[in-house]
Each structure stands twice: as C-alpha cells, then as structure tokens.
Amino acid sequence: MLPPPDLLLPARAGLPDSIAYLRARYPQSGWRSHARFGQLADFWLHVHAALRAEAAALGELNARARGDGLDPAALPAHFVPPFNAFLGHLDAHHRIEDAAYFPKFRALDPRMAAAFDLLENDHHRIDAALHAALETARAMVDSARGPTAAARSAIDRHADAFTDLTTLLDRHLADEEEIVIPAMLEHGERSVS
C-alpha cells in the first residue's frame, strides 16, 4: 500500500506519532539502558552507523574529486572499492529486512503494518536512487580515462546523484530506528530473531 504523499521520501521530514506509535514509550535517549535492549538492537544500530560512515566517507571522496583534490585519473582506484562495499552492505541490509525482519514485525502487531509499508516503500525509492548513483559512478569511472572536462562533468553528476541517495538514506535510517528499536523493546528481540 502506497503511503500518503507527505510521508514519501524525500518529502517526509519525520514520522507522525500514528506511525511511530511506540516512540513516546521508548524514547531514543533510553534505548541502550532499557532491559530489553540486546544484541540484535545493538547490531541494527551498528549496521546503520556503518552505512552512515561509509556514505560520509564516499561523500568526502566526492567532495575531494569535485574540488580538484583528487586527480580524475586516480579516482577509480580510490573510489570503486569503497563504493562497491557500500552498495553491497546497503543492498544486503535492505534484503534481509524485507525478507525476514519486516514480515516478523508485521506478524507481532497489526498496528505496525503502516510503518513497514512505509519502510518498504522507502527501500524502493532508495533502490532507484542507488541505481542512479551507480550509473553516474560508472560514467565517472569511464570518463576518468578521457579528457579532464568530461571527467569533471561526470564527477559533478555523480556527486549530485550520491547526495540525493544519501539524503534519502539518512531520513530512512533515522525513521527506521524510531520504528524498529522501540518495537524490539516492546516485544523483545526473540520475537523477531
């Protein structure tokens, strides 16, 4: 089911209480000290932190390339390995959520259906932005062998596409945490592991 337009990425500025209905009961400031906060919740937040860190490092690399701090000919060697790692980590995280965790959360409490519809819709939107960033990355790497002006243009296109991706991802990760971690605290991690 498609969420209302104001809840779609990138229009969403946060989650309403009707979606993040456990947020008030389990505020973020108390997550780690809660008796039900365990290894799965810790791992979930760790994965999100790692995705944010990888995206930030790639953003910095894009900024260096965009600002003439990196020779376009050297860009593929610096860029391709961390970009591929980031894509793999993000794809694997979303796949396991969609295939395993989100269905388990839905089964716990019917009120969660709207939240997980929203998060799954986010995954589709992020996937489209990821493919756009991948296409511009390929063009950027290919152009590194050519004239500098073409390489600079390709670097700019990729940096813009990657910024679009990370903007969506940042909103999604924050909102997902406000849904998933309180659900783990409410229902216990064993209910979804």
Side-chain angles (χ1 to χ4, degrees):
M1 182 177 185
L2 195 62
D6 61 326
L7 291 182
L8 294 174
L9 286 176
R12 189 167 74 232
L15 294 172
D17 291 339
S18 61
I19 297 289
Y21 66 92
L22 293 171
R23 176 176 48 203
R25 189 178 307 163
Y26 302 102
Q28 187 173 5
S29 61
W31 289 351
R32 292 188 181 276
S33 61
H34 193 279
R36 287 192 182 153
F37 185 88
Q39 290 178 341
L40 183 58
D42 189 52
F43 178 71
W44 204 291
L45 294 175
H46 173 76
V47 168
H48 282 194
L51 289 170
R52 288 179 177 111
E54 288 176 334
L58 286 164
E60 290 172 15
L61 184 59
N62 287 335
R64 280 182 51 215
R66 203 174 210 175
D68 295 333
L70 188 61
D71 178 15
L75 188 59
H78 291 283
F79 174 79
V80 172
F83 186 68
N84 284 341
F86 171 73
L87 296 180
H89 295 152
L90 180 58
D91 182 61
H93 180 62
H94 283 177
R95 283 180 189 268
I96 196 165
E97 287 176 339
D98 290 341
Y101 288 112
F102 289 1
K104 288 179 180 182
F105 281 117
R106 285 176 189 278
L108 288 175
D109 185 341
R111 295 175 297 171
M112 291 186 191
F116 289 100
D117 286 346
L118 182 70
L119 295 176
E120 286 177 357
N121 186 275
D122 288 359
H123 286 182
H124 295 296
R125 180 64 195 255
I126 290 167
D127 190 55
L130 186 147
H131 285 319
L134 179 58
E135 290 305 313
T136 59
R138 286 179 178 146
M140 179 178 69
V141 168
D142 288 344
S143 73
R145 295 176 224 138
T148 303
R152 291 278 165 226
S153 179
I155 288 168
D156 287 342
R157 284 192 306 279
H158 172 70
D160 291 342
F162 192 77
T163 297
D164 291 345
L165 170 62
T166 57
T167 299
L168 297 176
L169 184 61
D170 286 344
R171 175 79 270 148
H172 169 75
L173 293 176
D175 291 347
E176 182 179 290
E177 290 167 0
E178 286 194 337
I179 293 167
V180 169
I181 303 303
M184 287 181 186
L185 300 179
E186 176 82 1
H187 298 285
E189 289 185 353
R190 279 185 256 154
S191 59
V192 293
S193 58

Short mmCIF file of all heavy atoms in Angstrom, two decimals, residues 78-111:
data_model
loop_
_atom_site.label_atom_id
_atom_site.label_comp_id
_atom_site.label_asym_id
_atom_site.label_seq_id
_atom_site.Cartn_x
_atom_site.Cartn_y
_atom_site.Cartn_z
N HIS A 78 40.66 4.90 -5.99
CA HIS A 78 40.24 5.38 -4.67
C HIS A 78 38.74 5.15 -4.43
O HIS A 78 38.32 4.97 -3.30
CB HIS A 78 40.53 6.87 -4.51
CG HIS A 78 41.97 7.19 -4.43
ND1 HIS A 78 42.72 6.99 -3.30
CD2 HIS A 78 42.82 7.69 -5.37
CE1 HIS A 78 43.97 7.37 -3.52
NE2 HIS A 78 44.06 7.79 -4.76
N PHE A 79 37.98 5.19 -5.50
CA PHE A 79 36.53 5.24 -5.38
C PHE A 79 35.85 3.88 -5.48
O PHE A 79 34.93 3.57 -4.71
CB PHE A 79 35.97 6.17 -6.48
CG PHE A 79 34.48 6.19 -6.54
CD1 PHE A 79 33.75 6.94 -5.64
CD2 PHE A 79 33.81 5.45 -7.50
CE1 PHE A 79 32.37 6.94 -5.69
CE2 PHE A 79 32.43 5.45 -7.56
CZ PHE A 79 31.71 6.21 -6.65
N VAL A 80 36.24 3.06 -6.43
CA VAL A 80 35.50 1.83 -6.74
C VAL A 80 35.40 0.87 -5.55
O VAL A 80 34.30 0.42 -5.22
CB VAL A 80 36.06 1.14 -8.00
CG1 VAL A 80 35.43 -0.22 -8.21
CG2 VAL A 80 35.83 2.03 -9.23
N PRO A 81 36.49 0.54 -4.86
CA PRO A 81 36.35 -0.43 -3.75
C PRO A 81 35.39 0.03 -2.64
O PRO A 81 34.48 -0.72 -2.26
CB PRO A 81 37.77 -0.62 -3.24
CG PRO A 81 38.63 -0.32 -4.44
CD PRO A 81 37.91 0.81 -5.15
N PRO A 82 35.51 1.27 -2.12
CA PRO A 82 34.57 1.64 -1.05
C PRO A 82 33.13 1.83 -1.56
O PRO A 82 32.18 1.55 -0.82
CB PRO A 82 35.14 2.94 -0.48
CG PRO A 82 36.04 3.48 -1.52
CD PRO A 82 36.55 2.31 -2.30
N PHE A 83 32.97 2.25 -2.80
CA PHE A 83 31.62 2.41 -3.34
C PHE A 83 30.95 1.04 -3.49
O PHE A 83 29.80 0.86 -3.10
CB PHE A 83 31.67 3.14 -4.69
CG PHE A 83 30.32 3.46 -5.26
CD1 PHE A 83 29.50 4.38 -4.65
CD2 PHE A 83 29.87 2.84 -6.41
CE1 PHE A 83 28.24 4.70 -5.17
CE2 PHE A 83 28.62 3.14 -6.94
CZ PHE A 83 27.80 4.07 -6.32
N ASN A 84 31.69 0.07 -4.02
CA ASN A 84 31.13 -1.28 -4.15
C ASN A 84 30.80 -1.88 -2.79
O ASN A 84 29.78 -2.55 -2.63
CB ASN A 84 32.08 -2.19 -4.92
CG ASN A 84 32.07 -1.91 -6.40
OD1 ASN A 84 31.14 -1.30 -6.93
ND2 ASN A 84 33.11 -2.34 -7.08
N ALA A 85 31.65 -1.65 -1.80
CA ALA A 85 31.39 -2.16 -0.45
C ALA A 85 30.11 -1.54 0.11
O ALA A 85 29.26 -2.24 0.67
CB ALA A 85 32.58 -1.89 0.46
N PHE A 86 29.97 -0.23 -0.04
CA PHE A 86 28.78 0.46 0.44
C PHE A 86 27.52 -0.09 -0.23
O PHE A 86 26.53 -0.38 0.44
CB PHE A 86 28.91 1.97 0.18
CG PHE A 86 27.66 2.75 0.44
CD1 PHE A 86 27.21 2.98 1.73
CD2 PHE A 86 26.92 3.27 -0.62
CE1 PHE A 86 26.06 3.70 1.97
CE2 PHE A 86 25.77 4.00 -0.39
CZ PHE A 86 25.33 4.22 0.90
N LEU A 87 27.56 -0.23 -1.55
CA LEU A 87 26.40 -0.76 -2.27
C LEU A 87 26.04 -2.16 -1.78
O LEU A 87 24.86 -2.47 -1.57
CB LEU A 87 26.66 -0.79 -3.77
CG LEU A 87 26.86 0.55 -4.47
CD1 LEU A 87 27.12 0.34 -5.96
CD2 LEU A 87 25.69 1.48 -4.26
N GLY A 88 27.04 -3.00 -1.59
CA GLY A 88 26.79 -4.35 -1.12
C GLY A 88 26.20 -4.37 0.28
O GLY A 88 25.26 -5.13 0.56
N HIS A 89 26.73 -3.55 1.17
CA HIS A 89 26.22 -3.51 2.54
C HIS A 89 24.79 -2.99 2.58
O HIS A 89 23.94 -3.56 3.29
CB HIS A 89 27.12 -2.63 3.42
CG HIS A 89 28.49 -3.18 3.59
ND1 HIS A 89 29.58 -2.38 3.82
CD2 HIS A 89 28.97 -4.45 3.55
CE1 HIS A 89 30.66 -3.13 3.92
NE2 HIS A 89 30.32 -4.39 3.75
N LEU A 90 24.51 -1.95 1.83
CA LEU A 90 23.16 -1.38 1.82
C LEU A 90 22.17 -2.38 1.22
O LEU A 90 21.08 -2.61 1.78
CB LEU A 90 23.14 -0.07 1.03
CG LEU A 90 21.80 0.65 0.93
CD1 LEU A 90 21.24 0.97 2.31
CD2 LEU A 90 21.94 1.93 0.10
N ASP A 91 22.53 -2.99 0.12
CA ASP A 91 21.65 -3.97 -0.52
C ASP A 91 21.38 -5.15 0.40
O ASP A 91 20.23 -5.58 0.56
CB ASP A 91 22.25 -4.44 -1.84
CG ASP A 91 21.34 -5.42 -2.56
OD1 ASP A 91 20.20 -5.04 -2.90
OD2 ASP A 91 21.76 -6.57 -2.78
N ALA A 92 22.40 -5.68 1.04
CA ALA A 92 22.23 -6.83 1.93
C ALA A 92 21.34 -6.48 3.12
O ALA A 92 20.46 -7.26 3.51
CB ALA A 92 23.59 -7.33 2.41
N HIS A 93 21.54 -5.30 3.67
CA HIS A 93 20.74 -4.86 4.82
C HIS A 93 19.26 -4.76 4.43
O HIS A 93 18.39 -5.27 5.13
CB HIS A 93 21.26 -3.52 5.34
CG HIS A 93 20.52 -2.99 6.51
ND1 HIS A 93 20.44 -3.65 7.71
CD2 HIS A 93 19.79 -1.84 6.67
CE1 HIS A 93 19.71 -2.94 8.56
NE2 HIS A 93 19.31 -1.84 7.94
N HIS A 94 18.98 -4.14 3.32
CA HIS A 94 17.58 -3.99 2.89
C HIS A 94 16.96 -5.33 2.52
O HIS A 94 15.78 -5.57 2.80
CB HIS A 94 17.48 -2.99 1.75
CG HIS A 94 17.59 -1.57 2.22
ND1 HIS A 94 17.59 -0.50 1.37
CD2 HIS A 94 17.72 -1.06 3.47
CE1 HIS A 94 17.71 0.62 2.07
NE2 HIS A 94 17.80 0.29 3.34
N ARG A 95 17.73 -6.20 1.91
CA ARG A 95 17.18 -7.52 1.55
C ARG A 95 16.77 -8.33 2.78
O ARG A 95 15.71 -8.94 2.81
CB ARG A 95 18.19 -8.31 0.72
CG ARG A 95 18.28 -7.87 -0.71
CD ARG A 95 19.31 -8.72 -1.47
NE ARG A 95 19.55 -8.18 -2.77
CZ ARG A 95 18.89 -8.54 -3.86
NH1 ARG A 95 17.95 -9.44 -3.78
NH2 ARG A 95 19.18 -7.98 -5.03
N ILE A 96 17.62 -8.34 3.80
CA ILE A 96 17.28 -9.12 4.98
C ILE A 96 16.11 -8.49 5.74
O ILE A 96 15.28 -9.20 6.31
CB ILE A 96 18.50 -9.35 5.91
CG1 ILE A 96 18.19 -10.49 6.89
CG2 ILE A 96 18.91 -8.10 6.63
CD1 ILE A 96 19.40 -11.04 7.60
N GLU A 97 16.03 -7.18 5.71
CA GLU A 97 14.88 -6.53 6.34
C GLU A 97 13.59 -6.93 5.63
O GLU A 97 12.61 -7.34 6.27
CB GLU A 97 15.03 -5.01 6.30
CG GLU A 97 16.05 -4.47 7.26
CD GLU A 97 16.25 -2.98 7.14
OE1 GLU A 97 15.92 -2.38 6.08
OE2 GLU A 97 16.74 -2.40 8.11
N ASP A 98 13.59 -6.80 4.29
CA ASP A 98 12.38 -7.08 3.52
C ASP A 98 11.98 -8.55 3.58
O ASP A 98 10.79 -8.88 3.63
CB ASP A 98 12.56 -6.66 2.06
CG ASP A 98 12.60 -5.16 1.87
OD1 ASP A 98 12.14 -4.42 2.76
OD2 ASP A 98 13.12 -4.71 0.82
N ALA A 99 12.97 -9.44 3.58
CA ALA A 99 12.67 -10.87 3.52
C ALA A 99 12.42 -11.50 4.89
O ALA A 99 11.63 -12.43 5.00
CB ALA A 99 13.81 -11.61 2.83
N ALA A 100 13.08 -10.99 5.92
CA ALA A 100 12.99 -11.66 7.22
C ALA A 100 12.40 -10.78 8.32
O ALA A 100 11.38 -11.14 8.91
CB ALA A 100 14.38 -12.14 7.64
N TYR A 101 13.02 -9.66 8.60
CA TYR A 101 12.64 -8.90 9.77
C TYR A 101 11.30 -8.18 9.63
O TYR A 101 10.47 -8.24 10.55
CB TYR A 101 13.74 -7.91 10.17
CG TYR A 101 14.93 -8.62 10.75
CD1 TYR A 101 16.14 -8.66 10.08
CD2 TYR A 101 14.83 -9.27 11.97
CE1 TYR A 101 17.23 -9.32 10.62
CE2 TYR A 101 15.91 -9.95 12.51
CZ TYR A 101 17.11 -9.97 11.83
OH TYR A 101 18.18 -10.63 12.36
N PHE A 102 11.08 -7.48 8.54
CA PHE A 102 9.83 -6.74 8.41
C PHE A 102 8.61 -7.66 8.48
O PHE A 102 7.64 -7.33 9.18
CB PHE A 102 9.82 -5.89 7.15
CG PHE A 102 10.75 -4.69 7.19
CD1 PHE A 102 11.56 -4.41 8.29
CD2 PHE A 102 10.82 -3.84 6.10
CE1 PHE A 102 12.40 -3.31 8.32
CE2 PHE A 102 11.67 -2.73 6.11
CZ PHE A 102 12.45 -2.46 7.23
N PRO A 103 8.61 -8.82 7.82
CA PRO A 103 7.45 -9.72 7.97
C PRO A 103 7.25 -10.18 9.42
O PRO A 103 6.11 -10.32 9.87
CB PRO A 103 7.79 -10.90 7.06
CG PRO A 103 8.70 -10.32 6.03
CD PRO A 103 9.52 -9.30 6.77
N LYS A 104 8.33 -10.40 10.15
CA LYS A 104 8.19 -10.81 11.55
C LYS A 104 7.60 -9.70 12.40
O LYS A 104 6.76 -9.96 13.27
CB LYS A 104 9.55 -11.26 12.10
CG LYS A 104 10.01 -12.58 11.54
CD LYS A 104 11.36 -12.98 12.10
CE LYS A 104 11.78 -14.32 11.53
NZ LYS A 104 13.06 -14.77 12.07
N PHE A 105 8.04 -8.48 12.16
CA PHE A 105 7.46 -7.35 12.90
C PHE A 105 5.98 -7.19 12.59
O PHE A 105 5.17 -6.94 13.48
CB PHE A 105 8.19 -6.04 12.57
CG PHE A 105 9.49 -5.87 13.29
CD1 PHE A 105 10.68 -5.80 12.58
CD2 PHE A 105 9.54 -5.75 14.67
CE1 PHE A 105 11.89 -5.61 13.24
CE2 PHE A 105 10.74 -5.56 15.34
CZ PHE A 105 11.93 -5.50 14.62
N ARG A 106 5.61 -7.33 11.32
CA ARG A 106 4.20 -7.22 10.94
C ARG A 106 3.35 -8.25 11.68
O ARG A 106 2.23 -7.95 12.08
CB ARG A 106 4.04 -7.45 9.43
CG ARG A 106 4.46 -6.33 8.56
CD ARG A 106 4.32 -6.78 7.10
NE ARG A 106 4.88 -5.85 6.20
CZ ARG A 106 4.26 -4.75 5.77
NH1 ARG A 106 3.06 -4.49 6.16
NH2 ARG A 106 4.87 -3.95 4.93
N ALA A 107 3.87 -9.44 11.84
CA ALA A 107 3.13 -10.51 12.50
C ALA A 107 2.96 -10.24 14.00
O ALA A 107 2.02 -10.75 14.60
CB ALA A 107 3.83 -11.85 12.27
N LEU A 108 3.85 -9.48 14.58
CA LEU A 108 3.77 -9.18 16.01
C LEU A 108 2.58 -8.31 16.37
O LEU A 108 1.97 -8.49 17.42
CB LEU A 108 5.04 -8.45 16.48
CG LEU A 108 6.31 -9.25 16.56
CD1 LEU A 108 7.46 -8.31 16.91
CD2 LEU A 108 6.18 -10.34 17.60
N ASP A 109 2.30 -7.35 15.51
CA ASP A 109 1.31 -6.33 15.87
C ASP A 109 0.76 -5.70 14.59
O ASP A 109 1.51 -5.06 13.85
CB ASP A 109 1.99 -5.28 16.74
CG ASP A 109 1.05 -4.23 17.28
OD1 ASP A 109 -0.06 -4.05 16.75
OD2 ASP A 109 1.46 -3.55 18.24
N PRO A 110 -0.52 -5.87 14.32
CA PRO A 110 -1.10 -5.30 13.09
C PRO A 110 -0.94 -3.78 12.97
O PRO A 110 -0.95 -3.25 11.87
CB PRO A 110 -2.58 -5.68 13.17
CG PRO A 110 -2.68 -6.76 14.19
CD PRO A 110 -1.50 -6.62 15.10
N ARG A 111 -0.76 -3.10 14.11
CA ARG A 111 -0.58 -1.64 14.04
C ARG A 111 0.71 -1.27 13.33
O ARG A 111 0.86 -0.14 12.86
CB ARG A 111 -0.56 -1.04 15.45
CG ARG A 111 -1.88 -1.16 16.20
CD ARG A 111 -1.75 -0.66 17.61
NE ARG A 111 -0.78 -1.49 18.34
CZ ARG A 111 -0.31 -1.18 19.54
NH1 ARG A 111 -0.70 -0.09 20.15
NH2 ARG A 111 0.55 -1.97 20.14
#
